[in-house]
Amino acid sequence: MKKTVGILAALAAATLVVSGCAASTDVEPAEETAADTSTETTEETTTSTESVLTAVQEAGVVRCGTRDALPGFAVLQEDGTHVGFDSDFCRAIAAAVLGSADAVEMVDLETADRFTALQSGSIDVLVRNTTWTASRDGGEAATFLQTNFYDGQGMMVEASSGYSSVSDMNGAVVCVAKGTTTEGNAALESSRLGLGWEVRPFDDTDLLQEAFLAGQCDGWSSDVSQLTGFRSAYPDGADALEILPEVFSKEPLGPAVLDGDTQWAQVVNWAIFATIQAEEFGITSANVDSFLASEDVTIQRFLGVEITTDEGSAVLDPGLGLPEDFAYQVVKQVGNYGEIFERHLAPLGLERGVNALWSDGGLMYAPPYR
Amino acid sequence: MSPLTGVPTKTPLWRDIRVLKWLFQLAVLAIFVGIIFWLYNNYQVNIQRSKIPTGLDFLDNPANFTMPGNDFNQSSPVWSAFVQGFYNTLRVSVVGILLAILIGTLVGMARLSKNFLVRTVAGAYVEVIRNLPLLVLLTFMNLAVVLQTFPRIEDAWKPLDLFVVSNRGIAIPWFEGSGITLLSVLLAALAAAVIIAWVRGKYSDRTGKPARGLLYGTTIFVLVIVGAWLALGYSWTLPLVQDRGTEGGLRLDPSFFALLVTLVVYTSSHIAEIVRGSILAVPRGQGEAADALALSGPKKMRLVILPQAFRVALPAVGNQSLNLIKNSSLGAAISYFELTQIAQITVGNGSPAVPAFTLTLLVYLSISLTTSLIINIFNRRLALVER
């Protein structure tokens, strides 16, 4: 009896092996022609050939890579919701694609894991204070989209330290977050000014803040927007800290998606453009409904209003794969760029600066929607 | 035909236990190979789809970060960062293993002491430390001890004006001059000491007079060092507070200090138990025989008990050493620049994750295998030869 079981087990195992091999040999051709849709391949490979957009529409939820403790950009509240500038852009994408700003799943990521999460497909889009650099474009399989915040790296010190400029900080210990562009920028600035900084990286900002409080660091270097956020939440009060005037890098922050999915990239891009364009039109979440009756054709097109003429009615669908009223949903449910900025970043003390509309001398510019 | 006459003379192939055993093992092997092949294939497909570089070309890119207390800068290639990480892993491991064995042996012996206080304190040390998770211990050491207990650089402790202790590191007096020369002088002195001790041992065997190898060896060791010092014109520097750090002397990074202390404390608590068990494993008769020869307490330990106990302890202590090397990777959690930290940082700065961590894995593997090779060689030499 036992032997029969043994034979059966062996047979079953053998079948498994054979079928396993068969499945893997089928993968071979797919490897060479990654573009064609092979039905035999594993689930992951099938999804690769269709756009993330389709997958998102099927799932009914956008998985958005974000963080949990960056004041102003994304903070995980006690009730489990995320509040912040980045979180609202996650919601804007969901509102554009699925028509509901709540159809979003926030995935908290460590800095070092964010691109791996994108590459492995465990998130659909990364909106996590990520600087657009050439190496990340090339090496991380990420496509960076419309920058939603133009930032730069600065230095924060204790107000009592007596430093009034970065060049005063001779032989200082400068603390940064691990695995970011700030490490390299701080090192470059130190060698450029000949200051001999010791750059100490920290796993996360909580540990960094502990070290800073204990006096292990002279300077805390990061993007100015982040520093402003941390300063506002500092345990000893915001006045205990001072942000030095110098900004020594360019940090364009924006969403990123996986390389090779143009359709999804365009969708995310236009969700962001919609917030910028709405501000330019003067459309806010409060008055968007009144604009539905606007006589201005560009606004009617933008909001997806059916334009009725004597010849019949028409509505603009540019073929992005988005609903016709996506801009309306984004503005109605999340707000325009200025509103989002005012809601989350202005309270920290951040000025619009280069993030103003192009018509106000800033860099925020949306291509025409027509 | 009666059923009895039909008894088969030969077992059929599908019921032969030897054949079945072979088949079963082949099936297990095939499943294993199949799973590995499937995973690798999946990796290849996914990697090609997302166009992530898979080669080791990233090793030649500029590293784009710096390390405290090091000439390494942001323009150095990534591979040199890995080399530095390798050195730092070795640094904390070698010093850690030596200290852990020393302290572990002392604590293990203390647990068997006849003195109630010594025995209890040692027992408490072992029971508390070895029952804590290592990462918690390390975080505590870093946050509570180094950051909060040590003073800020402005109010640094300066015991005897020889040391500067602050939460930015511990600076100690150090030699001036090249490290290679220092190392060769130390090695030469050690060699001289070992040779003298050996010669004295032979002399003792021949004449029956006491060898005093330790006394002679230490004397020669000190003589060689002092001689070299005078001949080479060595000098030393004292650490001083300068700007926002220290100048001169040798500075131990705060994260190095926290990691080293944690690893030593944790590993020594395990080694203490091994040592205690090994001493108890030496037959009672050995100790009684030493007593019969009227050997003093320390001599009985040094000449009779410990040599036999070490034979028992060696494989287990070797294992603890391997654990310490592997545990040093937790240094990444407190930003000590060892291999894992380097891998994490360089991945954060644009190196591809899978090749970078595969490389890290292989380096750890080679360190561990080399260590166990050394332990095995020692073990073979120490093992009791039985006939």
Side-chain angles (χ1 to χ4, degrees):
Chain A
M1 187 58 202
K2 268 187 185 160
K3 272 180 193 164
T4 339
V5 174
I7 292 171
L8 280 178
L11 273 177
T15 340
L16 263 177
V17 174
V18 172
S19 60
C21 289
S24 35
T25 40
D26 279 345
V27 178
E28 299 285 355
E31 201 175 313
E32 278 139 34
T33 53
D36 88 2
T37 333
S38 163
T39 43
E40 281 293 309
T41 45
T42 48
E43 202 183 325
E44 292 97 309
T45 31
T46 1
T47 49
S48 79
T49 48
E50 66 188 29
S51 173
V52 173
L53 179 63
T54 322
V56 164
Q57 281 165 341
E58 274 166 18
V61 66
V62 177
R63 293 167 305 164
C64 191
T66 183
R67 58 196 292 175
D68 56 3
L70 179 57
F73 283 88
V75 175
L76 178 59
Q77 303 290 99
E78 275 172 16
D79 62 3
T81 58
H82 284 73
V83 171
F85 185 81
D86 279 349
S87 314
D88 271 1
F89 275 96
C90 289
R91 293 196 179 91
I93 296 164
V97 180
L98 301 167
S100 164
D102 297 326
V104 62
E105 182 191 331
M106 304 287 186
V107 182
D108 291 332
L109 297 171
E110 290 295 320
T111 309
D113 303 333
R114 51 190 168 177
F115 288 111
T116 321
L118 190 64
Q119 290 154 8
S120 66
S122 61
I123 56 170
D124 301 317
V125 57
L126 180 72
V127 191
R128 193 192 175 283
N129 259 93
T130 305
T131 305
W132 180 359
T133 69
S135 305
R136 286 175 176 174
D137 244 353
E140 301 283 12
T143 298
F144 282 86
L145 304 172
Q146 174 63 27
T147 300
N148 62 358
F149 192 86
Y150 291 92
D151 211 339
Q153 187 172 338
M155 180 78 74
M156 184 159 69
V157 296
E158 285 178 316
S160 58
S161 66
Y163 294 131
S164 57
S165 153
V166 166
S167 38
D168 294 344
M169 303 180 69
N170 214 354
V173 178
V174 171
C175 295
V176 299
K178 190 197 285 184
T180 64
T181 46
T182 46
E183 279 162 353
N185 290 334
L188 273 177
E189 187 67 4
S190 164
S191 63
R192 199 174 65 80
L193 298 172
L195 294 172
W197 288 344
E198 180 184 314
V199 182
R200 295 194 76 82
F202 285 82
D203 240 7
D204 66 45
T205 44
D206 295 338
L207 285 176
L208 201 167
Q209 180 163 297
E210 282 297 322
F212 195 76
L213 277 165
Q216 199 180 48
C217 318
D218 295 307
W220 182 342
S221 188
S222 188
D223 295 352
V224 172
S225 64
Q226 289 198 31
L227 291 178
T228 316
F230 289 125
R231 181 168 175 264
S232 72
Y234 196 59
D236 290 355
D239 292 337
L241 298 176
E242 195 179 334
I243 297 174
L244 298 178
E246 290 91 345
V247 171
F248 45 81
S249 76
K250 290 191 287 188
E251 308 290 334
L253 310 177
V257 297
L258 200 60
D259 272 348
D261 189 348
T262 323
Q263 193 179 19
W264 177 236
Q266 285 167 347
V267 163
V268 175
N269 251 347
W270 278 96
I272 292 162
F273 287 142
T275 65
I276 299 170
Q277 185 63 57
E279 188 184 9
E280 196 181 325
F281 282 141
I283 308 175
T284 67
S285 54
N287 67 15
V288 63
D289 286 317
S290 66
F291 275 91
L292 289 176
S294 168
E295 295 293 308
D296 189 332
V297 175
T298 53
I299 291 180
Q300 287 177 323
R301 283 179 187 159
F302 177 65
L303 293 177
V305 178
E306 206 166 86
I307 306 168
T308 317
T309 58
D310 299 339
E311 312 297 320
S313 62
V315 61
L316 175 63
D317 180 2
L320 291 167
L322 284 167
E324 287 142 5
D325 67 338
F326 84 95
Y328 171 80
Q329 298 297 350
V330 168
V331 179
K332 177 75 185 169
Q333 299 184 42
V334 186
N336 69 31
Y337 185 87
E339 281 183 273
I340 300 173
F341 194 100
E342 287 301 316
R343 201 181 304 148
H344 301 295
L345 301 184
L348 303 176
L350 280 173
E351 306 277 334
R352 279 296 283 272
V354 290
N355 292 300
L357 286 183
W358 65 282
S359 45
D360 297 334
L363 292 170
M364 286 300 153
Y365 185 105
Y369 188 79
R370 62 172 178 247
Chain B
M1 249 197 268
S2 120
L4 279 176
T5 54
V7 174
T9 49
K10 195 168 173 286
T11 332
L13 209 57
W14 60 89
R15 298 192 61 180
D16 186 339
I17 189 70
R18 284 166 301 178
V19 176
L20 284 179
K21 272 183 177 164
W22 266 102
L23 269 181
F24 185 70
Q25 296 210 1
L26 280 178
V28 169
L29 183 72
I31 291 173
F32 179 72
V33 171
I35 288 175
I36 295 287
F37 185 75
W38 178 70
L39 286 175
Y40 181 73
N41 215 342
N42 250 8
Y43 167 71
Q44 284 297 329
V45 170
N46 286 336
I47 226 76
Q48 287 214 342
R49 176 169 57 92
S50 49
K51 299 185 183 59
I52 303 166
T54 48
L56 290 174
D57 299 340
F58 72 93
L59 288 174
D60 290 330
N61 286 346
N64 208 27
F65 61 91
T66 53
M67 290 183 217
N70 204 312
D71 291 337
F72 176 84
N73 69 46
Q74 71 274 5
S75 304
S76 312
V78 170
W79 63 260
S80 74
F82 274 96
V83 171
Q84 292 296 339
F86 174 73
Y87 283 151
N88 283 338
T89 292
L90 280 193
R91 205 163 282 158
V92 78
S93 303
V94 170
V95 181
I97 288 171
L98 292 178
L99 287 177
I101 290 179
L102 184 70
I103 294 175
T105 309
L106 292 178
V107 174
M109 281 158 63
R111 285 210 71 180
L112 295 170
S113 165
K114 291 195 179 70
N115 183 317
F116 170 77
L117 193 65
V118 171
R119 192 174 60 226
T120 317
V121 168
Y125 173 84
V126 168
E127 285 310 328
V128 170
I129 300 292
R130 73 176 179 148
N131 287 310
L132 291 175
L134 185 52
L135 183 58
V136 174
L137 202 63
L138 180 63
T139 314
F140 179 83
M141 190 65 71
N142 188 44
L143 285 180
V145 178
V146 172
L147 279 186
Q148 304 295 342
T149 311
F150 286 5
R152 296 169 76 104
I153 186 80
E154 300 92 300
D155 334 299
W157 297 332
K158 293 167 194 156
L160 304 171
D161 274 337
L162 286 177
F163 306 93
V164 177
V165 179
S166 76
N167 61 20
R168 296 188 181 194
I170 295 168
I172 58 172
W174 198 245
F175 307 91
E176 237 169 16
S178 85
I180 307 274
T181 328
L182 180 71
L183 195 67
S184 20
V185 168
L186 276 179
L187 284 180
L190 200 66
V194 168
I195 289 170
I196 282 295
W198 183 75
V199 168
R200 288 296 303 177
K202 285 280 166 203
Y203 171 76
S204 167
D205 287 350
R206 215 167 50 239
T207 61
K209 291 185 179 147
R212 301 197 201 287
L214 195 67
L215 178 73
Y216 276 85
T218 318
T219 316
I220 285 295
F221 186 78
V222 172
L223 278 180
V224 170
I225 287 190
V226 170
W229 186 300
L230 293 176
L232 295 169
Y234 255 108
S235 64
W236 60 331
T237 66
L238 290 178
L240 291 169
V241 176
Q242 173 88 33
D243 285 329
R244 306 294 298 161
T246 54
E247 200 65 42
L250 178 77
R251 201 192 62 136
L252 304 178
D253 197 80
S255 55
F256 174 81
F257 178 80
L259 180 64
L260 179 68
V261 172
T262 310
L263 288 178
V264 167
V265 164
Y266 183 78
T267 313
S268 66
S269 73
H270 286 77
I271 291 181
E273 282 300 89
I274 295 167
V275 169
R276 185 174 72 103
S278 307
I279 291 176
L280 290 177
V282 176
R284 262 179 95 98
Q286 297 286 329
E288 288 165 359
D291 288 338
L293 287 173
L295 290 179
S296 69
K299 263 197 167 166
K300 173 177 144 189
M301 260 302 178
R302 191 163 61 84
L303 297 174
V304 179
I305 308 290
L306 283 186
Q308 298 186 70
F310 274 135
R311 183 178 287 157
V312 181
L314 186 77
V317 169
N319 214 6
Q320 289 300 325
S321 307
L322 281 178
N323 276 347
L324 188 144
I325 295 173
K326 289 180 283 180
N327 287 340
S328 73
S329 63
L330 285 173
I334 58 165
S335 291
Y336 176 64
F337 277 86
E338 45 71 61
L339 267 174
T340 313
Q341 161 96 345
I342 299 289
Q344 286 179 355
I345 293 192
T346 185
V347 167
N349 275 294
S351 298
V354 176
F357 276 99
T358 310
L359 188 69
T360 313
L361 201 127
L362 291 177
V363 175
Y364 273 115
L365 194 63
S366 61
I367 297 177
S368 293
L369 289 181
T370 312
T371 314
S372 55
L373 180 74
I374 295 172
I375 295 166
N376 281 341
I377 290 172
F378 268 108
N379 193 29
R380 216 167 297 144
R381 298 207 46 176
L382 273 184
L384 211 53
V385 183
E386 286 176 350
R387 294 167 209 280

